[in-house]
Structures are given as C-alpha cells and as structure tokens.
Amino acid sequence: MHAIHIADLSILLIEPSPTQLKVILQHLRGEGIAKVEGVSSGAAALESLHCHRPDLIISSLYLPDMMATALIEQLREDEVLSHIPFMLISSESSFEVLDSIRQAGVVAILPKPFAHDDLKHALRSTIEFIDPQEISLEHYDIENVRVLVVDDSKLARKHIGRVLNNMGIEKITEAQDGKEGLDVFSRDQNGFDLIVTDYNMPVMDGQQLIRAIRQDLGNSIIPFLMVTSEDNETRLANVHKAGVSGICDKPFNPQTVKEMLYRVLEPD
C-alpha cells in the first residue's frame, strides 16, 4: 500500500499553449489533483524548480526557448532535481525525436490528444517512483542480487539503476555497450544474477551480447531483461530467439519491471 495517492501529487506543468494548458489541467483535476503550477517555458520551469520541488514534471516537447529534451538533460545533471519524475505530452511521432526522451528516463510519453486512462496509468507509475515498494523474492535476498546494466546512454543507465535501487537492488555494475558488458561478464560469470540490457547500442548491440553469452560463453542460465525503445516486431522476435528472458519498453513503469523480475528470478 502506497503512502501517497494520485490526488496528493504536486505537479509542475510546462505548456506554452493556453488552450492545451487548460485541457491538461481539467484532466488532472479530474483525478483530484489540486496542486498544479503552470508555466510556459523551460526557463520559467527552471526558475520555479529552484524555489520548490514538485512530485512530477509534465511537459510539452517543443517549448519556446528549448526542447524538453534539453530541459530533462539539465535536470538529470542536477543532483537536487535529478530524481523528479518527468512525463512528456506531445503530438510528435518521430522515433528519432522521441528516443532521446525515452533514453533519458521518463515515466510516460503521452500523445496529444491523450486518453484519460493513459494519464491515470502514467500517474500511477509516478507513485511507484515516489513511493517505491521493495520487491520480495523467495530464492534471493534482494540486497544481494547482483545486476549488470548495459546501455550506451548514461542517463538511461542512471534511470534503470534508480528503478532497481527503489526495489531494494543495490549491487549494480554498469557497462556502456555490449562489448564492455561482455568483457565484464566474461571475467566473472558467477558474479551476476541478472543482466539488464538495451537493444540499440554501438560496437555490440543487445542481441549480439545475448548471443555471445549464450553461444560463445555457453551460458544458458543468466537471465536477460531487455529494456528498449525498439518497436520492430521482426527484430524483437529475433531477440527472443537469441535467449532473452523478458522485454520491457522504454519508457517503462516500475510495476512492469517488478513483474518481469519476479518471472526471471523466481521461475516456477
């Protein structure tokens, strides 16, 4: 049971369109949320954030003075502001444009217009970030679970690490591409209980990493959780064939990750 509810959330809403601002405010009030501050630019948002920290930031992608991509990168580099959950609402559909936001670690990306149920689901994901519940495993002491996180995005590694930390997993080793991940794992195959990897990476991608560990090293035991923004069904089917234990979308919600961890670490 969470100590905080959706109606308790305080939100900073960044939206340059007065009309869109009103629409989003109506949806938030429909969930009982009363503490919402609306601003129209990235600069105004940063000024507000240095005065007080909200529970959640909701932003449009295209702001008059910067893109939300630049804003979230600034926030993730600020120790004080880096842990605030970030939600994007945008009509943008380009994979290339949205992928940098996904890699930075957001609780949700909603389209314009969005369905109210989608917003409610995203707000529930926010609660999971703010008031995390430690995962309980029968066969593992969660504090001793050892995870190798492989992702070429520093922001993504940081975000994944935070989600795992919130679940009680503290022993995390990072690698910035599949080749480095393979080198780290090769040196101590018994040193990890789980590998969390991205799909699209330079040097060696996630699928190649899985195949190298499964085939070249002959390790069929280590569970793999792939966290990816890839949506090509053929490619993902090949990943399954390579030996992945589960695939989770970016952005992902902590509850989904928790359920997958149960499946890969506590098999029937």
Side-chain angles (χ1 to χ4, degrees), residues 46-211:
L46 291 169
E47 183 178 352
S48 173
L49 288 166
H50 284 102
C51 295
H52 68 277
R53 293 192 294 275
D55 297 314
L56 171 66
I57 299 169
I58 300 178
S59 179
S60 177
L61 178 60
Y62 297 103
L63 306 175
D65 52 348
M66 66 178 73
M67 288 183 64
T69 314
L71 175 60
I72 194 172
E73 286 176 355
Q74 287 190 53
L75 298 178
R76 294 298 182 250
E77 294 300 323
D78 188 311
E79 284 299 318
V80 176
L81 305 176
S82 63
H83 298 304
I84 302 175
F86 196 102
M87 183 190 305
L88 182 75
I89 300 179
S90 175
S91 56
E92 180 62 67
S93 59
S94 167
F95 176 86
E96 290 75 15
V97 173
L98 294 178
D99 194 48
S100 58
I101 286 282
R102 291 189 181 98
Q103 300 294 344
V106 293
V107 291
I109 297 177
L110 301 184
K112 285 183 179 179
F114 57 84
H116 185 83
D117 283 348
D118 290 337
L119 175 64
K120 189 168 186 176
H121 181 73
L123 292 172
R124 285 174 177 166
S125 293
T126 301
I127 298 296
E128 291 285 345
F129 277 94
I130 296 171
D131 184 27
Q133 306 295 300
E134 186 172 291
I135 189 172
S136 177
L137 300 172
E138 181 180 349
H139 299 103
Y140 289 89
D141 179 349
I142 194 64
E143 293 181 355
N144 292 323
V145 171
R146 301 152 301 175
V147 181
L148 173 60
V149 175
V150 187
D151 200 305
D152 61 310
S153 167
K154 179 181 176 182
L155 291 178
R157 294 196 305 270
K158 187 174 182 179
H159 180 67
I160 293 169
R162 180 189 171 197
V163 172
L164 295 175
N165 288 160
N166 286 346
M167 294 177 187
I169 297 174
E170 299 290 342
K171 296 182 178 180
I172 300 172
T173 302
E174 296 184 4
Q176 61 184 1
D177 57 52
K179 178 63 168 60
E180 183 177 334
L182 179 61
D183 292 342
V184 170
F185 185 76
S186 298
R187 289 194 292 270
D188 185 9
Q189 292 195 43
N190 296 318
F192 297 99
D193 301 299
L194 172 69
I195 298 175
V196 180
T197 182
D198 188 20
Y199 178 85
N200 291 303
M201 294 182 289
V203 186
M204 176 184 284
D205 65 27
Q207 182 176 333
Q208 292 169 326
L209 171 63
I210 294 169
R211 283 181 173 163

Side-chain angles (χ1 to χ4, degrees), residues 95-96 98-100 102-103 109 151-152 197-201 205-207 226-240 246-252:
F95 176 86
E96 290 75 15
L98 294 178
D99 194 48
S100 58
R102 291 189 181 98
Q103 300 294 344
I109 297 177
D151 200 305
D152 61 310
T197 182
D198 188 20
Y199 178 85
N200 291 303
M201 294 182 289
D205 65 27
Q207 182 176 333
M226 181 166 285
V227 182
T228 180
S229 54
E230 177 66 56
D231 60 359
N232 185 296
E233 292 184 6
T234 300
R235 289 180 181 175
L236 293 181
N238 290 332
V239 169
H240 276 292
I247 297 178
C248 188
D249 293 333
K250 287 182 180 179
F252 57 86

Side-chain angles (χ1 to χ4, degrees), residues 7-61:
D8 300 325
L9 292 173
S10 63
I11 296 175
L12 175 62
L13 176 56
I14 314 168
E15 175 54 67
S17 165
T19 301
Q20 289 294 326
L21 185 70
K22 290 178 182 178
V23 169
I24 299 170
L25 281 172
Q26 286 178 343
H27 281 283
L28 294 174
R29 287 168 181 159
E31 289 301 318
I33 299 173
K35 293 178 284 187
V36 183
E37 178 185 1
V39 296
S40 60
S41 69
L46 291 169
E47 183 178 352
S48 173
L49 288 166
H50 284 102
C51 295
H52 68 277
R53 293 192 294 275
D55 297 314
L56 171 66
I57 299 169
I58 300 178
S59 179
S60 177
L61 178 60

Side-chain angles (χ1 to χ4, degrees), residues 174 219 223 263:
E174 296 184 4
N219 190 313
R263 289 208 302 272

